[in-house]
Amino acid sequence: MTISKAQLAKSRVLVVGDAMIDRYWYGAVDRISPEAPVPVVRVTREELRIGGAANVASNVVSLGAQATLLTVVGDDEASHTLESLVAKTGITPHFGRDAALQTTVKLRVIGRQQQLIRLDFENSPKSEVLASQTADFIKLLPTHDAVLFSDYGKGGLDHVHLMIEHAQAAGKPVLIDPKGSDYSRYSGATVITPNRAELQQVVGSWSSEDELRAKSRALLDKLGLQALLLTRSEEGMTLYDAAGEISVAAQAREVFDVTGAGDTVIATLAALVGAGLPLREAMPLANKAGGIVVGKFGTATVSYDELFAAP
């Protein structure tokens, strides 16, 4: 299924969630530290990328659709850096600021083409800032075609159930990249997109496709979802919905880095659904997009031309 650039350009996605900075320090590793059995990295280059919900929004824009990013950040240096980076992408930003919040930064140290360590700097936002975010969400909702919640478990979506209710009432499709073991807060969403480990954390393990199918259907019914899209890494993905289920195989390519692949999958899905494509037709394209992005390093994006290029 192909959708034109003009159709995709009209798709407006409201991305809500935990935005962050992905900071990379690259360096040479020539020796082991005399202080501890760890490599000494002589840092030679630094790179900053937008991460989390910001990377999701960037993926929407990269495909040629429109993205608005609604997020809560601190009033620190990292938040202003993030805002500057986001402004360069074509994303429309709506930043709520909490002076007590430390804007999330994930620092990855890379040596010999390998990630040696990751350091996370973060804390949780205050409830009054989140209440303000919900009010902003209600104002932005009417001008968007799809809503995408990107949950990284940093506290920015503590009021997600209220926002889902408003989106439902407005007739907007709601797509969620979930986090944690309690999915009840996602009740009423159109589709959630857990990976295998995330789904297992919620429904328990399974020993057969029949058992997985039964557990997925039970979760669909319990949460009142229209669909559940299970991303299965090298096994591709499976969509469970009212019509049954449909699976697509993973796109065969060299896996270089899986960072942000889930962001690309749900961003592609949301952009296409916002353009009017049914979930079942959007899923194979989202699967293809995920296959493309794992062939790139770090949190990366996919363009329209890459997605719709002949296989």
Side-chain angles (χ1 to χ4, degrees), residues 121 167 202 238:
F121 306 86
V202 176
T238 301

Side-chain angles (χ1 to χ4, degrees), residues 1 3 7-8 10-13 145-146 173 268-282:
M1 173 72 186
I3 192 165
Q7 285 174 289
L8 206 50
K10 293 177 183 176
S11 177
R12 300 161 300 176
V13 181
D145 303 303
T268 304
L269 206 63
L272 295 172
V273 167
L277 216 57
L279 275 172
R280 283 191 165 221
E281 293 180 31

Side-chain angles (χ1 to χ4, degrees), residues 9-301:
K10 293 177 183 176
S11 177
R12 300 161 300 176
V13 181
L14 176 53
V15 179
V16 189
D18 304 305
M20 59 194 71
I21 292 178
D22 286 317
R23 188 187 299 269
Y24 296 86
W25 286 355
Y26 298 90
V29 180
D30 302 317
R31 62 194 178 96
I32 300 298
S33 170
E35 303 162 7
V38 295
V40 174
V41 183
R42 181 168 45 84
V43 176
T44 56
R45 180 167 63 92
E46 180 179 350
E47 186 176 334
L48 292 174
R49 299 187 185 188
I50 55 177
N55 182 55
V56 174
S58 180
N59 271 272
V60 172
V61 170
S62 175
L63 283 170
Q66 302 172 51
T68 299
L69 173 62
L70 179 59
T71 189
V72 175
V73 295
D75 194 8
D76 50 12
E77 182 184 354
S79 75
H80 297 292
T81 300
L82 178 60
E83 194 167 26
S84 174
L85 292 170
V86 166
K88 296 174 183 176
T89 63
I91 297 166
T92 302
H94 285 267
F95 281 26
R97 293 194 183 275
D98 177 355
L101 180 65
Q102 183 175 18
T103 302
T104 300
V105 176
K106 293 182 179 179
L107 169 60
R108 297 170 176 88
V109 181
I110 314 294
R112 294 180 177 171
Q113 300 299 310
Q114 292 183 355
Q115 185 178 145
L116 302 177
I117 192 170
R118 192 182 94 183
L119 308 173
D120 291 2
F121 306 86
E122 63 192 32
N123 61 4
S124 298
K126 292 180 178 177
S127 58
E128 55 265 30
V129 179
L130 296 177
S132 173
Q133 181 188 46
T134 303
D136 289 340
F137 175 83
I138 294 168
K139 292 176 189 172
L140 291 167
L141 190 57
T143 57
H144 291 82
D145 303 303
V147 178
L148 193 169
F149 291 106
S150 180
D151 195 349
Y152 275 79
K154 309 301 181 187
L157 286 178
D158 282 357
H159 295 178
V160 67
H161 59 289
L162 293 174
M163 291 186 273
I164 292 172
E165 286 176 9
H166 285 289
Q168 266 189 311
K172 308 290 185 181
V174 175
L175 302 90
I176 301 179
D177 188 358
K179 187 68 71 178
S181 57
D182 179 15
Y183 281 9
S184 62
R185 57 209 219 97
Y186 306 134
S187 293
T190 305
V191 59
I192 58 173
T193 63
N195 60 32
R196 286 180 299 194
E198 288 166 341
L199 184 63
Q200 190 171 351
Q201 191 178 356
V202 176
V203 303
S205 59
W206 54 85
S207 56
S208 67
E209 282 296 313
D210 285 343
E211 190 177 358
L212 169 60
R213 185 177 299 115
K215 286 177 178 285
S216 298
R217 294 240 154 258
L219 187 63
L220 274 176
D221 293 342
K222 179 182 177 183
L223 300 181
L225 308 173
Q226 290 183 27
L228 184 153
L229 177 62
L230 175 62
T231 56
R232 311 178 71 169
S233 191
E234 72 278 359
E235 295 176 12
M237 53 181 66
T238 301
L239 181 77
Y240 302 93
D241 61 12
E245 68 186 73
I246 181 172
S247 296
V248 288
Q251 299 282 323
R253 61 171 58 240
E254 183 179 359
V255 175
F256 188 70
D257 190 346
V258 298
T259 305
D263 291 350
T264 300
V265 167
I266 195 167
T268 304
L269 206 63
L272 295 172
V273 167
L277 216 57
L279 275 172
R280 283 191 165 221
E281 293 180 31
M283 183 190 72
L285 290 167
N287 182 61
K288 182 180 179 183
I292 293 169
V293 84
V294 296
K296 302 178 180 183
F297 184 77
T299 46
T301 59

